Amino acid sequence: MIPKTLSLTSISPFLLPQFKIPKSHNPGRVTIICKSVNSQPQQQTQPELSVSGSESQGTGAAAPTRGDIFLERQQLLAASSSSSSLVIEKKKKKKKEKTSGSLKVATFCCYGCGAPLQVSEMDAPGYVDPETYELKKKHRQLRTILCGRCRLLSHGHMVTAVGGNGGYAGGKQFVTAEELREKLRHLRHEKALIVKLVDIVDFNGSFLAHVRDLAGANPIILVVTKVDLLPKGTDFNCVGDWVVEATMRKKLNVLSVHLTSSKSLVGITGVVSEIQREKKGRDVYILGAANVGKSAFINALLKMLSDNDPVAAMARKYKPIQSAVPGTTVGPIQINAFLGGGKVYDTPGVHLHHRQAAVVHSQDLPALAPRSRLRGQSFTKEVVKDQWVSEKTEFNSLTGFSIFWGGLVRIDVLKVLPETCLTFYGPKAVKLHIVPTNKADEFYTKELGGLLTPPSGEQVEEWAGLETARQLRITFDDTQRPACDVAISGLGWITVEPVSQALKEPDADLIPDATVISLDIHVPKAVEIFVRPPLPVGKVGGEWYQYRDLTEKEEETRPKWYF
């Protein structure tokens, strides 16, 4: 064809001046040659400009989503704040780039934790061996790198990286909790679908009371995780209604509530259906407190989607790392999870200073995570007399005794009924011990780090003790159901039963119409204590739980729950 015979690459460089020299002697030929000379560079240079522009901005279907812009902005902030330790990859053709004036930067992150890749600080998140980095860079595989910290986490090592208010003691702290929260504040300005995760074992402590500051007016799908840990025989109809009632008090824009388990995949299918129905072209952001199970939930989500979605099946190959260390994810992780477009973002957990995990050492963090189904441990007058008190002390109730929940909580029983029962729900690794209150101080000093753990090991010397005390006066008028739950943020909860539900025929002479239970709760400084309506767990919970009568307006606006 004629266009091929006019290729400039086939013309010798010695002939190029010959075309330009006879400009004044042969105008006709000059006109033809000018077209071939000027049009050919346009064909070579113009596509390069258009490709560069499409990759950075794009039009129509190729335009970047709000999620892409959010991710690039966070990556640039991380790159600029630690420029001495980050590696900035510059390529001629970039898949992701941020333009600031004439500067274009592409930052690659670890797919396991979202930390920008770097080769300078070995213990920091995002570290990659220099040889491995150069090899992956050469083959353009930087997006497939797992940093050294994630490899240690995957093998059970407790490597913390978050400091500051809400951070964790032990090890080096490379990013503060405030910086991670700042990375999430852009969500309120985005048009997104928020999937908010809450741990059922630490419902109040992990709920994020100020979630509106992060999510803005975006719709929320509330996902309650770890429901497989609730005691055997629990009626989930009652639990679902209890969660909805607690959510309504927060006055959030909640579309629906889902009870799920990432381990057994219970309830995940309903969440997938709700996301696909409600995302409407928006990106999906997984939001929640630190160590609430976001990465585990995303892995379960991808597993369910991969059955019918090849894009999700491919994303499972490079899924976020999950571990028992709060703060595993230190940057936003973009995941292509939907065949029809749209992305899922695993966000850094919101680190809360009022949880027990923020005051214990990183070595003791695994003890705070329940690994099997919860079994309530009850304290009544009879149980204490038979199992817990070696001395045959004469007493008529739990009054005058102190119960230690590891070295983290002390409950002084000031006034209860003779038939009162206190039932503890929490991780089995944190043991319970009861002693007379007049011996409690001596027992705590002697057994801290031994019988009373956490704290343990060398951390006992640095332990500040139980500096905060709160006195609770619990009133009740119904002895057929628990009076309330006392929830310890980051640990578990205590169900307060004025009269033990195990008593089939309690003595009516010992049960007044209305009375008060008085308890003193001692916890480490900043750890929060919640008094809430009792969570209906176990077989007995379904018997005493009462559903509230709803008005027509409440039935229309009240979010539905699914299991």
Side-chain angles (χ1 to χ4, degrees):
M1 296 176 63
I2 295 176
K4 293 184 178 180
T5 60
L6 292 178
S7 174
L8 287 178
T9 57
S10 63
I11 301 176
S12 173
F14 297 100
L15 295 178
L16 292 176
Q18 298 176 7
F19 289 114
K20 296 180 180 180
I21 290 173
K23 227 175 195 182
S24 59
H25 301 285
N26 193 346
R29 185 178 178 185
V30 170
T31 304
I32 297 174
I33 291 177
C34 285
K35 288 184 179 180
S36 63
V37 171
N38 294 335
S39 61
Q40 188 66 19
Q42 290 179 359
Q43 294 176 1
Q44 292 180 348
T45 59
Q46 187 64 24
E48 292 183 0
L49 293 175
S50 63
V51 170
S52 177
S54 65
E55 289 180 351
S56 60
Q57 300 297 330
T59 58
T65 64
R66 291 177 177 268
D68 293 331
I69 298 174
F70 166 73
L71 184 67
E72 292 170 1
R73 180 166 55 242
Q74 297 305 321
Q75 291 175 348
L76 281 178
L77 287 174
S80 61
S81 62
S82 56
S83 57
S84 60
S85 61
L86 297 180
V87 175
I88 299 178
E89 176 65 17
K90 296 181 179 180
K91 294 184 176 182
K92 293 181 181 179
K93 294 182 180 179
K94 306 180 185 76
K95 293 185 178 179
K96 287 184 182 178
E97 58 185 11
K98 186 73 176 180
T99 304
S100 178
S102 59
L103 178 63
K104 297 181 180 180
V105 179
T107 303
F108 294 94
C109 297
C110 168
Y111 72 82
C113 65
L117 299 178
Q118 50 93 13
V119 296
S120 59
E121 195 164 0
M122 184 175 297
D123 295 332
Y127 174 79
V128 182
D129 180 78
E131 295 182 0
T132 302
Y133 182 88
E134 292 299 329
L135 181 62
K136 293 291 186 179
K137 173 184 175 181
K138 180 179 179 180
H139 296 283
R140 300 184 179 182
Q141 296 178 347
L142 291 177
R143 301 183 188 279
T144 65
I145 291 183
L146 194 66
C147 72
R149 173 175 174 266
C150 286
R151 294 184 184 277
L152 292 175
L153 291 173
S154 64
H155 288 83
H157 294 270
M158 308 302 291
V159 186
T160 58
V162 181
N165 187 24
Y168 307 94
K172 294 185 178 181
Q173 300 170 349
F174 301 96
V175 61
T176 65
E178 291 81 2
E179 291 174 351
L180 292 183
R181 281 191 288 268
E182 190 63 29
K183 291 183 178 182
L184 300 175
R185 296 195 185 277
H186 296 282
L187 286 178
R188 63 183 305 171
H189 305 297
E190 308 286 341
K191 290 184 178 179
L193 177 62
I194 306 298
V195 178
K196 181 176 177 295
L197 269 60
V198 181
D199 185 353
I200 190 62
V201 180
D202 185 26
F203 184 85
N204 297 84
S206 64
F207 193 87
L208 300 182
H210 302 289
V211 66
R212 269 286 160 246
D213 296 338
L214 301 175
N218 288 312
I220 298 174
I221 298 176
L222 183 64
V223 176
V224 182
T225 62
K226 306 178 184 180
V227 297
D228 57 324
L229 296 179
L230 293 178
K232 189 175 182 179
T234 297
D235 187 346
F236 288 102
N237 290 311
C238 300
V239 174
D241 185 79
W242 183 90
V243 171
V244 171
E245 286 293 321
T247 304
M248 292 291 289
R249 300 187 192 101
K250 305 293 184 180
K251 298 181 180 180
L252 301 176
N253 182 21
V254 176
L255 300 177
S256 58
V257 175
H258 299 262
L259 306 182
T260 67
S261 168
S262 300
K263 183 177 180 180
S264 62
L265 301 182
V266 169
I268 301 297
T269 302
V271 180
V272 171
S273 301
E274 184 76 1
I275 289 176
Q276 291 178 334
R277 181 169 57 252
E278 296 293 342
K279 70 184 186 74
K280 299 175 182 177
R282 297 172 291 194
D283 291 330
V284 180
Y285 291 83
I286 311 300
L287 188 66
N291 213 33
V292 78
K294 294 185 300 299
S295 297
F297 170 76
I298 289 178
N299 293 339
L301 188 70
L302 293 176
K303 185 174 182 180
M304 297 300 296
L305 285 171
S306 62
D307 293 338
N308 301 313
D309 193 336
V311 176
M314 181 64 66
R316 289 190 65 196
K317 187 176 182 181
Y318 302 107
K319 57 189 179 182
I321 197 74
Q322 57 185 91
S323 73
V325 179
T328 298
T329 304
V330 295
I333 302 176
Q334 173 185 301
I335 304 170
N336 297 320
F338 303 107
L339 182 62
K343 298 177 178 62
V344 173
Y345 289 87
D346 185 8
T347 61
V350 180
H351 298 262
L352 304 173
H353 68 281
H354 60 72
R355 304 179 75 190
Q356 289 282 5
V359 300
V360 302
H361 194 274
S362 59
Q363 296 179 358
D364 294 322
L365 288 175
L368 301 181
R371 299 182 179 275
S372 59
R373 189 183 295 272
L374 299 179
R375 296 184 63 182
Q377 192 166 349
S378 299
F379 288 87
T380 61
K381 178 181 64 176
E382 288 75 15
V383 172
V384 172
K385 184 182 296 185
D386 296 339
Q387 300 182 13
W388 295 92
V389 180
S390 58
E391 302 176 1
K392 299 299 182 181
T393 307
E394 294 294 333
F395 60 93
N396 296 323
S397 66
L398 294 175
T399 302
F401 281 86
S402 296
I403 304 173
F404 288 95
W405 203 348
L408 303 176
V409 183
R410 168 181 166 180
I411 300 97
D412 294 338
V413 183
L414 304 182
K415 179 184 177 182
V416 294
L417 297 179
E419 308 302 330
T420 296
C421 176
L422 303 179
T423 305
F424 291 72
Y425 295 94
K428 294 181 180 179
V430 184
K431 303 297 182 180
L432 291 158
H433 300 274
I434 185 168
V435 296
T437 301
N438 55 11
K439 298 181 180 180
D441 293 336
E442 178 185 355
F443 178 79
Y444 187 77
T445 303
K446 179 181 178 181
E447 299 297 342
L448 185 65
L451 291 178
L452 303 178
T453 58
S456 61
E458 300 177 355
Q459 288 71 45
V460 175
E461 298 179 359
E462 303 176 358
W463 184 249
L466 308 178
E467 300 176 319
T468 302
R470 180 179 175 185
Q471 185 173 0
L472 303 180
R473 292 177 55 84
I474 303 168
T475 60
F476 63 93
D477 54 8
D478 186 359
T479 59
Q480 302 300 317
R481 63 194 304 272
C484 66
D485 284 346
V486 179
I488 311 298
S489 182
L491 183 61
W493 75 93
I494 308 161
T495 299
V496 180
E497 301 177 47
V499 176
S500 175
Q501 301 296 312
L503 298 177
K504 295 182 179 179
E505 296 181 359
D507 190 351
D509 297 335
L510 298 177
I511 305 175
D513 294 334
T515 188
V516 176
I517 292 177
S518 297
L519 304 173
D520 267 359
I521 312 294
H522 302 261
V523 293
K525 187 177 181 180
V527 172
E528 196 161 349
I529 302 169
F530 302 93
V531 179
R532 69 188 190 191
L535 176 64
V537 296
K539 295 181 179 179
V540 181
E543 299 176 359
W544 57 256
Y545 186 77
Q546 297 177 351
Y547 293 91
R548 185 171 62 89
D549 294 332
L550 303 176
T551 63
E552 294 183 0
K553 183 177 180 180
E554 287 178 331
E555 291 180 352
E556 295 177 358
T557 59
R558 195 171 188 257
K560 306 296 182 182
W561 69 269
Y562 302 92
F563 175 68

